[in-house]
Amino acid sequence: MVHLRDALLGPLLLLSFSVSSVVGSRRVPRYATVVQRQALGGNYSFIIAGGGIAGLTLADRLTEDPTVTVLVIEAGPFDQGQDGILVPGSYAPYLYFWPNLVTEPQTALNNRSIGTVCAQVVGGGSTINAMVFLRGKAEDYDGWGALGNGGWSWKKLLPYFIKSENFTRPSVAHAQEANITWDDSVRGNSGPVQYSYPNFNFVGAGNWWNAAKAVGLPAIQDPNAGTTPGVFAIPSVLDARTNTRSYARRNHYDRVSAARPNYHILASNTVSKVLFDGKQAIGVQYLPTAGGSVSTVYAAKEVIIAGGALSTPKVLQLSGVGPKKLLQKFNIPVVADLPGVGQNLQDQSTLTVPYTFSNNISPNSDSMFTNATFNAEQRALYDAGLPSAYTIVSTLGTNIALLSLKDTTPEYKQIAAQARARNPADSLPADVDPAVLAGYAAQRALILKQFESPNIGVGTLHWGTGNDALIYHLRPLSRGYVNIASTDPLANPILDYRTATDPADFQLYAALFRKNRALFASPTMQALGPTEASPFGANLTTDEDIINVMRGQVNPSNAHQCCTAAMLPKGLGGVVDSDHNVYGIKGLRVADISFWPMEVSAAPTATMYAAGERVSSLHNAQSFLGVNFFRID
Ligand SMILES: Cc1cc2nc3c(=O)[nH]c(=O)nc-3n(C[C@H](O)[C@H](O)[C@H](O)COP(=O)(O)OP(=O)(O)OC[C@H]3O[C@@H](n4cnc5c(N)ncnc54)[C@H](O)[C@@H]3O)c2cc1C
Ligand SMILES: *[C@@H]1O[C@H](CO)[C@@H](O)[C@H](O)[C@H]1NC(C)=O
Ligand SMILES: *[C@@H]1O[C@H](CO)[C@@H](O)[C@H](O)[C@H]1NC(C)=O
Ligand SMILES: *[C@@H]1O[C@H](CO)[C@@H](O)[C@H](O)[C@H]1NC(C)=O
Ligand SMILES: *[C@@H]1O[C@H](CO)[C@@H](O)[C@H](O)[C@H]1NC(C)=O
Ligand SMILES: *[C@@H]1O[C@H](CO)[C@@H](O)[C@H](O)[C@H]1NC(C)=O
Ligand SMILES: CC(=O)N[C@H]1CO[C@H](CO)[C@@H](O)[C@@H]1O
């Protein structure tokens, strides 16, 4: 089969795959693009550890200045344009996952040790994620500001959201049919990240939509306007010109690389540590991700860590930036004692609620798996550029509901009050550092205030039109950690989400579960004859029964790991200041999702692109003003 996109991809692949060169005496792996490496004399202006969303956004923007040189070192390879990456309907790539990530036994989840994922590929999560493209609410970013981060608010981040993206409108007819609405004033039209909507929807999506409205969830005009939660069509990081994924490799590297001899990516290599001269970061050591000898490269201006929330703390800890006790245990010389590094781990856990239907509408999202004729028909339509179910990320639907706690349950005030009565220390490991505890207490107070706000989301309900309903828990009170287990830079750290160890997290889950039940009990869903299936079922009536089943079912991660090098005041366990500078060190920033203090009312991608734009604007403004902020003295 010849696909539209193969023709488009050809030249791009050529660019990345054909270039091979030599760094020092070492051969560069096959997929590395290292141009004129020798000419740079072994030094770059900036070295970025991790070529994901933040890393590539920064590298693109920094190299707009031709006098600046950037080396991105990325642990994973370049993708090869597989259908599982490019074609939404072929999603669930199971490609490029970070290998062998398994949690510690989750004590609130029947002690299950659970396999978990994050990306290891150029483009990071954007290359393999489910393409959901949502911003948080105004109160999310205002909340980050309120935790002591001057310069952070919805208002101040909005220009970067807009700068980052290029929204393509759906056709008028499809927008009407699928209830796609938006507010042009908050959507960008000139940025590199392409986004739009699938051009197809399953009929059952309308039944679900009406059921959501019947249980009091309002249809909102634009989920990316920062305003109230509600029901809406899901924006997707879909390039409407080709109906393929728009991801950081494409939109922040392939788009510019031919014209940027100053922008280099070294793929399939892992940064093992940051090198310091006193308290100044001067470069990094790295080695092939497959194993091999260690090399060194220097940064004249700055080292930027952008490895994602499970890797960034590992790199910092291995470099001597982290909790002193932990570093001493491994005989790592302490460069900066920052107890927050690796703590404050959060994710947005998920729960699948299975149903059987006596009267579901066909075709639905499951038909892509159960009906080969339908699947082939849709693929042919997709390849011809016509409306097709292949523009929908496989197994997902086209609409979703974001709920405030107030939308979820009339008991919202009691849930907040009960959680307020709990000692924050009881929700953290016994040996927690006092600054980290203080930071958690501040976050907790803010979250409990947000529980009473109608303008922030605590969870989402979703039905793809097939057999499963999905519940996402967006605003956990539980906190985990990620700590090195050895000094081997290729070994995975100890990973403990500590999911739902705070009892309020299960209360919230039970409320979301009941709301989902109510939604399925309303007339337009009842018309499809749904039965809540094992291990759930109508006989589970008390919160206790429901939560007991959940313990065996909740997945601790939606691969939205964050917050392990939090942007908070140092006295609150912070690792970076509000401009991403690591406390106590010069020339070292953290740009990836590790910097978030708390999860937001959305999936992370849109916020990470905007944050990448923001942090690069800090650098560009400084060089524009001629201020040598990155002076080595
Ligand atoms: C399967 C999956 C589905 C998801 N679905 C969605 C979704 O639908 N919508 C949404 O908004 N979000 C989704 N996410 C989450 C989102 O993609 C991530 O939150 C986002 O990519 C984080 O951006 P980042 O820049 O912080 O890090 P990442 O994009 O994760 O990039 C970090 C990069 O650093 C590299 N790295 C790590 N350590 C090192 C090292 N020591 N040396 C060199 N390189 C290193 C990694 O290999 C990785 O490529 C999903 C994620 C996954 C994995
Ligand atoms: C989980 O393990 C801990 C420690 O080993 C134990 O105390 C607890 O009873 C276990 N919980 C369950 C549900 O098995
Ligand atoms: C934005 O999208 C439109 C339509 O898909 C396209 O024509 C235009 O070139 C895009 N602009 C940028 C800056 O990518
Ligand atoms: C769109 O909204 C209308 C009116 O609220 C509803 O009847 C219809 O089912 C919805 N369709 C979808 C696909 O959401
Ligand atoms: C399978 O899909 C084809 C093509 O859309 C359709 O004609 C047929 O009725 C479907 N079969 C079933 C069992 O739904
Ligand atoms: C509910 O029903 C299932 C299956 O019939 C059974 O296994 C389970 O024990 C029941 N649970 C409760 C709490 O009654
Ligand atoms: C070749 C070159 O310029 N090397 C320099 C790179 O940066 C380090 C650290 O600043 C210097 O020591 C090298 O001389």
Side-chain angles (χ1 to χ4, degrees), residues 176-179 201-203 205-207 209-210 213 399:
Q176 247 160 29
E177 181 203 336
N179 295 330
N201 70 304
F202 291 106
V203 172
N207 293 59
W209 178 279
N210 288 327
K213 285 177 69 177
N399 51 28

Side-chain angles (χ1 to χ4, degrees), residues 50-57 72 74 121-126 248 306:
I53 295 182
L56 296 189
T57 304
V72 177
E74 164 55 47
V121 61
V122 174
S126 71

Side-chain angles (χ1 to χ4, degrees), residues 105-112 551:
Q106 296 298 287
T107 57
L109 303 179
N110 295 343
N111 285 339
R112 288 181 292 139
R551 289 184 195 280

Side-chain angles (χ1 to χ4, degrees), residues 104 120 130 146 156 161 181 215 232 234 249 302 355 371 384 464 479 487 515 536 539 541 546 550 567 632:
E104 293 298 289
Q120 191 183 76
K156 289 195 171 135
F161 278 119
T181 58
V215 295
F232 53 85
I234 307 171
R249 178 221 167 141
E302 204 171 280
Y355 283 85
N371 184 339
R479 295 290 180 270
T487 53
K515 191 71 178 186
F536 294 100
N539 66 335
T541 52
I546 292 168
M550 282 181 180
M567 180 179 279
I632 299 180

Side-chain angles (χ1 to χ4, degrees), residues 362 371 373-374 377:
S362 273
N371 184 339
T373 313
F374 177 73
E377 194 178 274

